[in-house]
Amino acid sequence: MSNHTWTIDSITHALPHPELRATFQREVAFTEVAKLHTILDRWVQFVTDIEAGRAEVELVREHIREHGQLPSGYDQETRDSISRYEELKARIEAQRRGHNAA
């Protein structure tokens, strides 16, 4: 994950949308203490992935500023990133369904 020391508050503030923050807070509030580490690990990974994506976006922006176009091969990288995002989203949804069934 990252070298960041995560707290519930820092995870909450790292989430970019109010809906995500509300979902995170709800999951933390209604999860059994024994299962809380699993929920927190998943959200830390999610936030870490978001932070990694932000860095990539900044690199692409800088490349566009310097060269006036997307980096070569970016279209394939975009498709790969979308695939990774969809896989992550599906895992989160599956875990959420499992959590709600408990």
Side-chain angles (χ1 to χ4, degrees), residues 26-82:
R26 194 170 38 256
E27 286 187 14
V28 169
F30 294 109
T31 297
E32 296 174 29
V33 171
K35 298 177 182 177
L36 198 53
H37 67 90
T38 303
I39 298 295
L40 293 173
D41 287 347
R42 179 171 44 89
W43 281 98
V44 166
Q45 184 61 53
F46 183 77
V47 168
T48 302
D49 290 347
I50 289 172
E51 290 177 345
R54 285 184 186 142
E56 183 179 341
V57 167
E58 288 307 315
L59 289 173
V60 170
R61 284 181 179 165
E62 185 62 29
H63 184 88
I64 291 171
R65 278 189 214 111
E66 289 179 18
H67 305 285
Q69 61 186 12
L70 288 170
S72 63
Y74 187 75
D75 287 339
Q76 182 59 45
E77 290 175 17
T78 301
R79 284 191 285 278
D80 293 344
S81 294
I82 290 170

Side-chain angles (χ1 to χ4, degrees), residues 8 11-12 15 19-33 35-44 46 89 91-100:
I8 290 173
I11 295 169
T12 301
L15 294 168
E19 296 85 8
L20 284 172
R21 291 189 289 273
T23 299
F24 168 70
Q25 290 287 329
R26 194 170 38 256
E27 286 187 14
V28 169
F30 294 109
T31 297
E32 296 174 29
V33 171
K35 298 177 182 177
L36 198 53
H37 67 90
T38 303
I39 298 295
L40 293 173
D41 287 347
R42 179 171 44 89
W43 281 98
V44 166
F46 183 77
K89 184 177 170 184
R91 281 195 336 236
I92 290 171
E93 288 300 319
Q95 287 180 347
R96 183 175 297 130
R97 283 190 300 274
H99 174 71
N100 290 338

